[in-house]
Amino acid sequence: MEERKFQPGDTVIQQGDDGNELFVVDSGELDCSKVFVKGEDAKFLKKYQSGEAFGELALLYNAPRAATITAATESICWVLDRSCFNHIVKDAAVRRREKYEEFL
């Protein structure tokens, strides 16, 4: 994991971009917004705070970023790249399968 710092107004992820990272908020607040109809203004969806994570959809489904995240305050996020994320997810799936096999 890598630490990244953001200043108010910094764009962390941009809707439509390719996504290769998951972000976990350590401190600060970040705003999530999304353009639903091309040409219209983005709509505010939620505020991310310490302990919350975003960016997983692009990693799980290999899809473009679904929304834009902008730092509302000075923020620190921990960043997990795609390969580390996939390793964690696959490891969890293996452990779950082993647990089910033991049960059966």
Side-chain angles (χ1 to χ4, degrees):
M1 285 185 98
E2 172 189 334
E3 180 186 77
R4 287 208 197 137
K5 297 179 180 182
F6 300 98
Q7 297 301 312
D10 286 353
T11 299
V12 179
I13 61 174
Q14 180 69 45
Q15 182 177 346
D17 286 354
D18 289 335
N20 293 312
E21 299 168 321
L22 166 83
F23 296 81
V24 179
V25 182
D26 183 37
S27 64
E29 295 183 336
L30 301 103
D31 293 334
C32 176
S33 59
K34 181 177 177 81
V35 174
F36 288 96
V37 178
K38 194 171 185 170
E40 290 187 5
D41 290 338
K43 299 200 184 308
F44 174 80
L45 298 177
K46 77 168 284 170
K47 187 172 290 287
Y48 284 98
Q49 298 177 339
S50 179
E52 295 183 286
F54 58 87
E56 72 283 357
L57 294 178
L59 297 180
L60 286 168
Y61 304 113
N62 202 25
R65 296 292 190 190
T68 296
I69 308 292
T70 307
T73 64
E74 285 188 17
S75 303
I76 298 174
C77 293
W78 290 96
V79 183
L80 197 66
D81 66 22
R82 181 183 294 276
S83 63
C84 188
F85 176 81
N86 285 339
H87 177 73
I88 291 168
V89 169
K90 287 175 186 172
D91 187 49
V94 167
R95 280 188 272 127
R96 187 177 329 120
R97 185 178 59 232
E98 288 171 350
K99 184 178 176 181
Y100 291 151
E101 288 173 355
E102 285 176 17
F103 178 75
L104 297 175

